[in-house]
Structures are given as structure tokens and as C-alpha cells.
Amino acid sequence: LTHFPRVDWRRGIDTHPISAADPASRNWLLANISPDDSERWGRTIAALEEAQRASCQIIRGNALDVLEDLIATIPDDVVPCVFHSFVTHHFTELELIDLSDTFQKSGVKRAIYEIGLEFERSPKGICVDRPLTLRLTSYHLGKVRTEELATVDSRGACGWLRWMQVT
């Protein structure tokens, strides 16, 4: 990658979106951070300030209900890239299949990319004590390709991130 791709179109989906400009919402979000975690506090304040500067329409809804229609509204000259983190552990196995189907259907006529940072699953449940893997999956013309990009601190604090060799 020689340069960071330009973002031409940005939308978000959240079942309960909050406004970074709303003091009560900011305070609620900050109240979820341990008082002794000054690094996370600082990152969250910076993220809230960036969210106020950036222009991003947030759509209220369940991603499984609105994602396919939202992807269809993306202009043809824009390559869709869907990012999600700390979301799919809330999904059932059937919902995970539905999400994958949505990406595959959307990728039949155009390239679409999915970047996910999620907890691993095992037969015993969600593995919250293992490092997370940042994955890039491309869907295009019926082909699906997944690459592991990095591993990240399992608390999501990004105390460390290790990039992998990408092929």
C-alpha cells in the first residue's frame, strides 16, 4: 500500500447510536471506562472529537436488516469497504451466515471488502482471553478471499498490534 485510500462515502449502522456532540452521550460512554485506564480514556476522548469533525450519517438499525440495502445505495464509482469490530460475538450462528450471505450477494456484481476485528469462537463459546485477529475479506465475482492482517490485544485496548505478512 503506497497511500491511504481516500474515503468518498461514509455511513454507519448502530442499533443504539449516540451523538459524539451530546454531553450526556459522551458522559455515558466515558463512564464505561475504568477510572485507572488513562490510555483508553485519552483514546476515547480523541475518538469522540474526531467523530464530531468527521461527517458520517449513522443509520439506526440492525446491520442484518439494513446492510444489504445500504450497500446497494453506494455509488458505482466507490468501492465498498465495511468495517466492524466487537459486534459479531452478539450474533447467533445463523446470523453470522446471514451476514456472510449479504456480503457474498453484494459482491456478485462489484468488489466489496469487509474488515473485521472480532473475538474468536470455539465450541465452548466466545474466546475473550485470546488476541483478536484483524481480517480482510474480499468478495468479487463469486470469489471470497480472507487474509489475516494483524493480531491485537484481546481487551481491544490496542496495547499492542502485530502486523502479519500479507500475501
Side-chain angles (χ1 to χ4, degrees):
L1 187 65
T2 58
H3 66 283
F4 193 80
R6 188 178 79 235
V7 176
D8 289 323
W9 194 89
R10 183 184 318 220
R11 299 293 182 275
I13 302 171
D14 199 311
T15 53
H16 302 287
I18 65 167
S19 169
D22 175 48
S25 294
R26 290 174 64 96
N27 289 339
W28 175 85
L29 191 59
L30 293 169
N32 289 286
I33 301 171
S34 176
D36 63 344
D37 197 343
S38 60
E39 284 185 46
R40 185 172 283 185
W41 183 274
R43 282 192 305 273
T44 303
I45 292 289
L48 286 165
E49 290 170 357
E50 179 59 28
Q52 287 183 62
R53 281 191 295 276
S55 173
C56 182
Q57 177 187 357
I58 306 295
I59 296 152
R60 180 182 294 272
N62 182 317
L64 297 170
D65 297 332
V66 301
L67 183 59
E68 188 172 357
D69 290 339
L70 180 60
I71 290 170
T73 68
I74 298 173
D76 291 337
D77 62 336
V78 174
V79 177
C81 180
V82 177
F83 175 78
H84 56 84
S85 61
F86 302 98
V87 174
T88 61
H89 67 281
H90 296 288
F91 290 7
T92 66
E93 293 297 327
L94 287 176
E95 289 171 328
L96 287 172
I97 291 168
D98 287 348
L99 181 64
S100 178
D101 287 349
T102 295
F103 285 120
Q104 289 184 44
K105 282 191 273 185
S106 299
V108 168
K109 295 182 180 177
R110 68 189 298 176
I112 183 166
Y113 296 91
E114 172 193 13
I115 299 174
L117 181 64
E118 302 290 349
F119 291 113
E120 300 294 328
R121 290 175 178 251
S122 79
K124 294 181 181 179
I126 307 301
C127 305
V128 297
D129 58 342
R130 293 186 194 161
L132 303 168
T133 303
L134 181 68
R135 290 186 173 86
L136 167 66
T137 304
S138 61
Y139 303 85
H140 193 227
L141 302 175
K143 296 180 182 171
V144 179
R145 180 177 180 215
T146 299
E147 296 179 66
E148 294 184 349
L149 302 177
T151 54
V152 181
D153 173 22
S154 65
R155 281 191 60 218
C158 293
W160 58 266
L161 180 142
R162 291 188 187 94
W163 290 105
M164 297 178 173
Q165 182 69 31
V166 178
T167 55

